[in-house]
Amino acid sequence: MDQPYIGEEEQPQEMSFVDHLEELRWHIIRAFASIFVFATIAFLAKNFVFHDIILAPSRTDFFSYRIMCDIGQRIGSEALCIDQMGFTIQSRQMSGQFTMHLLVSAILGLVCAFPYAFWEIWRFVKPGLYPQEQKNSQGAVFFVSILFIMGMLFGYYVVSPISINFLAGYQVDPTIINEFDLSSYISTLTTLCLACAFMFEMPVIVFFLTKAGLITAETMQVYRKHALVVILIVGAIITPPDVVSQLLISMPLMLLYEVSINISRSIRKKDLKRLNDNNTI
């Protein structure tokens, strides 16, 4: 009877298409489960979520407004101090508050679970990459999560309060009273925050596109003016119809664009150096 060779390693069996689908299904299930868990927590914490998070930018004691007022007092400008918001929020539909409660809980569940959900999807994608691609993509989950959180915070503490204050104080005639529906307020707030969160992922996108050889720093420099126009158009689409919101979105995007150029240039230099080192060996 033949004995197996000592030290013989079993070759890993290649997964079938059905096995890949099954594995993907479980990754997706776990990702959605995490979103559901955080959404449930947000749903149960109704008072904290709505009073301290969602409706906070609609009150004059919001953190950003207090910081603006402090800056205004330091520079001798009282115009930055907001004494009143000039609008009220109403719910004009029978199921309006309950519907918004469910929607806000789902959105907060997605935001809070995003790092874990992305990690689950990344766990499925990463084994299919080449070793060099896996090495190049180390820390992808960390950087994607950090940029997402930074974008959310920028949208919530900078873009949203200034936009809400501008739109609330805008009047075509003093006799018109601003009474906003709850759904309109929440839609504006969540759109601005989520738009900033996903826009802040630009450096990561540029990193992978550069690694794939689809773009270079030189190309991005050549089309810098075109990128500015596109960024302004995107800012106009995803923000309320006011110039302030568009500029608040566009300025950090242009900064991220410049950062992305430097990232692409750095990656290109490292790749060329590695190629030269290989050729000299």
Side-chain angles (χ1 to χ4, degrees), residues 86 167-178:
L167 295 174
Y170 188 84
Q171 288 182 306
V172 294
D173 189 89
T175 61
I176 300 177
I177 302 174
N178 285 328

Side-chain angles (χ1 to χ4, degrees), residues 88-101:
T88 57
I89 300 177
Q90 299 181 355
S91 180
R92 303 176 188 275
Q93 298 178 353
M94 182 69 71
S95 61
Q97 295 195 49
F98 179 71
T99 302
M100 288 299 102
H101 189 190

